[in-house]
Amino acid sequence: MNQEETIAQLQGVFDEVFLDPVVLTPELTAEEVEEWDSLIQISLVIAVESRFGIKFRVGEVEATQNVGEFADLIRKHLDG
């Protein structure tokens, strides 16, 4: 699965977690989305872990700068 395919799957997770629509691009950051606060971040991480069947280590997600890096992190976990 490449970054584009991962982001397409992430879109479904974002659609479930966020009340307002968020259009994902690789460059999108949390600062650009008004609703994306620390509580949403926790819900998002839990939903992503569930959807993709992965577990993040402490600090991994926080180290990502944008959706593209988050998608790359997901792919890294999926690849083993």
Side-chain angles (χ1 to χ4, degrees):
M1 176 180 339
N2 63 31
Q3 186 184 72
E4 185 177 310
E5 293 166 334
T6 305
I7 291 173
Q9 288 191 21
L10 267 177
Q11 184 67 63
V13 176
F14 274 69
D15 291 346
E16 292 171 6
V17 172
F18 286 84
L19 297 175
D20 295 325
V22 177
V23 178
L24 298 185
T25 65
E27 299 81 20
L28 183 71
T29 66
E31 291 81 26
E32 296 174 87
V33 180
E34 185 175 337
E35 186 182 353
W36 197 337
D37 60 15
S38 59
L39 293 176
I40 289 288
Q41 179 74 6
I42 292 167
S43 297
L44 185 61
V45 168
I46 291 168
V48 167
E49 288 178 333
S50 177
R51 172 74 59 91
F52 289 92
I54 59 176
K55 283 286 188 193
F56 296 113
R57 291 185 301 270
V58 174
E60 275 188 308
V61 175
E62 289 77 16
T64 62
Q65 299 295 313
N66 55 42
V67 170
E69 289 183 12
F70 189 34
D72 291 342
L73 178 61
I74 292 166
R75 289 182 19 237
K76 176 182 166 189
H77 278 271
L78 291 172
D79 290 343

